[in-house]
Amino acid sequence: MDMEIHSESDVVVAGGGPSGLIAALAAARAGARTLLVEQYGFLGGMATVASVGPFSPFHYDDQQITMGIPQELVQRLIAAGGSTGHLKCVPEYGSGSYMAYFDREVYKMIAFQMMEEAGVRLLLHTFIGGTVTEGNRVTGLQVCNKSGFQQVLGKVVVDATGDGDVAARAGAEFKWGRDSDHLGQPMTMFFEMANVDTGALKSYIDTHPDDVEWASELHAGQPLPKAFNQRYFVVQGFTNFVKKAREAGELHLGRDTVLLQSTMRDGTIVFNSTRVGKLRGTDVNDFTEAEIEGRKQAMSLAAFAKKYLPGFADAYVCSTGAQIGVRESRHVVGEYLLTPDDVASGRRFPDVVARGFFPIDVHDPTGGKGYQAGGSTWIKPKGPYDIPLRCLIPKAIDGLVMTGRNISASHEAHGSLRVQGTAFAIGQASGAAAAVAAKDDCQPRDVDVGKVQRILIDQKANLDIDQSNSFKAGRSATA
């Protein structure tokens, strides 16, 4: 099929989620002509598409790890009245050490503003159907949109699809889910309910510890704007109500507990409670089935909440995700595979380009049990760990940089790095690496690591390295 050439750029970013939007900004600010391709009419990925929020931690304990352009995004949201900033989570079990609440609609606009300021060209409402290749080198994307079928060409392509779609189309080696049975973490349809009596809800949580698996409160370091909700909490439990409703045939849900939390708006609660397992978000039939099942569970859970949960008698569903949230799919095999021990031990690498810190958080791929019931995993690393550039470079495929949750990592390591705080940081790393490869006319696997690290540090990223020694490592950096 003949396709018209839409454009030619230095860097083409496939996907405008947390890693993709930051990758595009990092590449453009590093001097690369950058185009971002996105299937929706706005940016933000799961945060804006699937209502996933708040931002997961940028912190390990009280130490902020993710900085740079992601922190600038948070500051821009705060200034626009669209974020609480980072709130401390006590205890951190189940959520991490801090969370930053945000307004999805403000986020959409701020993301556009930052793209325009950086000179990133956007191609919205555009799906990726394949790759343009020369041998084993990716030279662009085959896309489809209202204008028909087109080619988007670039010196370097960044795969920020979340599912490794570009890499897979180019023939890259990948793993799917966990090694034992190739199942990934379950998908979740997020939804929100408004007109909730949060005081009554919180009172029940505080006075019924036997019905709570875990709960945390979040605290601001300084007063929040009066227009914001002033009280934040997250809880997983309500097992007694769930059991009673199931016995009465009144609840269709893929898990045995309910997970919900506050939002920026008083009286509005978001549910992270539906669970759709054993289906693949990379298979169109599975994905379709998951969307339908996710909405069935969401509406059943909303009806359950109105009947059983304190504070929900007059509540109503005010929003659902535009799509179901996908936690895990392809793990593209790169020059290095990040291991569970790398994460748990806080391992350092000389070719560090991002840092992870979140616990290994794996939701039960086969059933509905939580952490304490033994179906899911929550393991806190001994300290922040490095993500080496080699995890972003797919084996045997040139012209391509991976980013976000589809980088080269094991199922368990992915359980840590998949969250938005780390996806942001990986995005900045991938954008810097792609810009260096494009400007130096070399393959991403051959870039000067020191040059990439200098760009990241200039962009205020946190690599926590001895700059002189690391920069000397250059192309020879190895574990």
Side-chain angles (χ1 to χ4, degrees):
M1 180 188 300
D2 291 332
M3 296 186 188
E4 68 170 283
I5 295 176
H6 171 272
S7 58
E8 297 185 47
S9 305
D10 294 329
V11 174
V12 174
V13 179
S19 57
L21 71 90
I22 299 296
L25 290 170
R29 291 182 181 185
R33 292 176 300 119
T34 303
L35 173 78
L36 187 153
V37 180
E38 167 57 38
Q39 66 176 321
Y40 291 99
F42 49 86
L43 306 176
M46 292 294 98
T48 51
V49 174
S51 301
V52 177
F55 292 144
S56 62
F58 283 29
H59 299 70
Y60 180 90
D61 291 337
D62 290 328
Q63 179 187 3
Q64 183 164 347
I65 307 301
T66 296
M67 297 182 183
I69 299 175
Q71 178 59 26
E72 179 187 337
L73 170 63
V74 173
Q75 292 300 129
R76 294 280 293 263
L77 287 169
I78 292 171
S83 178
T84 61
H86 305 292
L87 306 186
K88 185 175 178 61
C89 192
V90 182
E92 67 175 43
Y93 181 81
S95 297
S97 50
Y98 283 77
M99 291 193 286
Y101 292 79
F102 60 90
D103 183 306
R104 289 190 297 275
E105 303 311 315
V106 178
Y107 185 1
K108 293 173 185 177
M109 193 63 247
I110 293 298
F112 278 161
Q113 289 176 358
M114 293 179 73
M115 292 292 163
E116 185 176 16
E117 292 165 8
V120 176
R121 185 177 182 181
L122 298 178
L123 188 59
L124 304 177
H125 300 294
T126 298
F127 285 83
I128 297 161
T131 56
V132 182
T133 58
E134 296 178 359
N136 70 334
R137 180 185 176 187
V138 177
T139 60
L141 305 174
Q142 296 176 355
V143 302
C144 180
N145 52 38
K146 285 289 188 179
S147 297
F149 295 98
Q150 298 176 318
Q151 290 185 356
V152 179
L153 305 181
K155 294 180 180 179
V156 180
V157 175
V158 177
D159 187 341
T161 61
D163 296 315
D165 290 337
V166 177
R169 304 289 187 273
E173 179 185 356
F174 61 85
K175 299 176 180 291
W176 217 107
R178 60 187 183 185
D179 290 339
S180 60
D181 54 14
H182 307 296
L183 290 178
Q185 293 198 49
M187 293 179 264
T188 294
M189 175 62 71
F190 280 71
F191 68 96
E192 294 178 352
M193 295 187 74
N195 204 35
V196 178
D197 182 346
T198 54
L201 174 61
K202 186 64 165 61
S203 177
Y204 177 85
I205 294 167
D206 292 342
T207 56
H208 292 78
D210 60 313
D211 204 21
V212 172
E213 182 173 298
W214 57 267
S216 301
E217 295 183 350
L218 293 106
H219 306 281
Q222 55 189 8
L224 296 171
K226 292 182 179 179
F228 289 8
N229 175 29
Q230 300 295 307
R231 177 172 51 183
Y232 294 83
F233 57 89
V234 55
V235 60
Q236 179 168 300
F238 308 104
T239 52
N240 295 331
F241 288 131
V242 170
K243 182 180 179 181
K244 183 177 179 180
R246 278 185 165 157
E247 290 174 348
E250 296 178 324
L251 178 60
H252 174 64
L253 188 64
R255 57 186 293 167
D256 55 11
T257 57
V258 173
L259 172 58
L260 57 81
Q261 64 180 303
S262 309
T263 69
M264 280 181 61
R265 307 307 174 195
D266 188 27
T268 301
I269 294 292
V270 62
F271 286 79
N272 178 5
S273 300
T274 66
R275 180 171 287 182
V276 182
K278 302 181 181 180
L279 296 175
R280 295 191 172 198
T282 55
D283 178 278
V284 68
N285 294 319
D286 277 8
F287 208 11
T288 299
E289 183 180 345
E291 292 282 8
I292 296 169
E293 172 62 18
R295 293 191 185 279
K296 285 180 179 178
Q297 290 189 25
M299 299 314 291
S300 178
L301 181 53
F304 157 84
K306 285 179 64 66
K307 181 173 181 178
Y308 285 92
L309 297 187
F312 281 87
D314 298 319
Y316 60 91
V317 175
C318 59
S319 73
T320 62
Q323 74 154 74
I324 196 166
V326 180
R327 287 187 177 86
E328 181 179 17
S329 55
R330 298 185 185 100
H331 304 297
V332 177
V333 178
E335 294 295 313
Y336 182 80
L337 182 78
L338 199 70
T339 70
D341 183 64
D342 292 335
V343 172
S345 65
R347 190 176 182 189
R348 308 303 305 271
F349 295 92
D351 59 332
V352 55
V353 289
R355 301 175 70 204
F357 47 87
F358 195 74
I360 296 175
D361 179 14
V362 179
H363 295 236
D364 187 357
T366 59
K369 296 186 180 302
Y371 305 126
Q372 295 182 9
S376 301
T377 302
W378 182 270
I379 302 173
K380 184 176 179 178
K382 293 180 180 178
Y385 59 92
D386 289 350
I387 298 172
L389 177 61
R390 285 163 294 152
C391 287
L392 280 57
I393 309 301
K395 276 189 173 181
I397 301 295
D398 286 332
L400 185 62
V401 178
M402 308 306 301
T403 196
R405 63 179 171 85
N406 56 21
I407 66 170
S408 184
S410 70
H411 166 77
E412 296 83 4
H414 161 273
S416 168
L417 63 82
R418 67 181 175 83
V419 296
Q420 290 189 69
T422 310
F424 280 136
I426 298 171
Q428 187 165 357
S430 63
V436 171
K439 293 172 68 179
D440 287 359
D441 196 25
C442 68
Q443 294 305 318
R445 72 184 71 258
D446 296 324
V447 297
D448 185 322
V449 176
K451 187 176 290 187
V452 176
Q453 291 172 333
R454 276 192 291 272
I455 289 173
L456 290 169
I457 290 171
D458 286 346
Q459 293 181 352
K460 299 185 176 5
N462 172 16
L463 302 184
D464 189 34
I465 56 176
D466 180 334
Q467 296 182 25
S468 59
N469 290 337
S470 182
F471 293 160
K472 289 176 183 177
R475 289 186 173 87
S476 63
T478 56

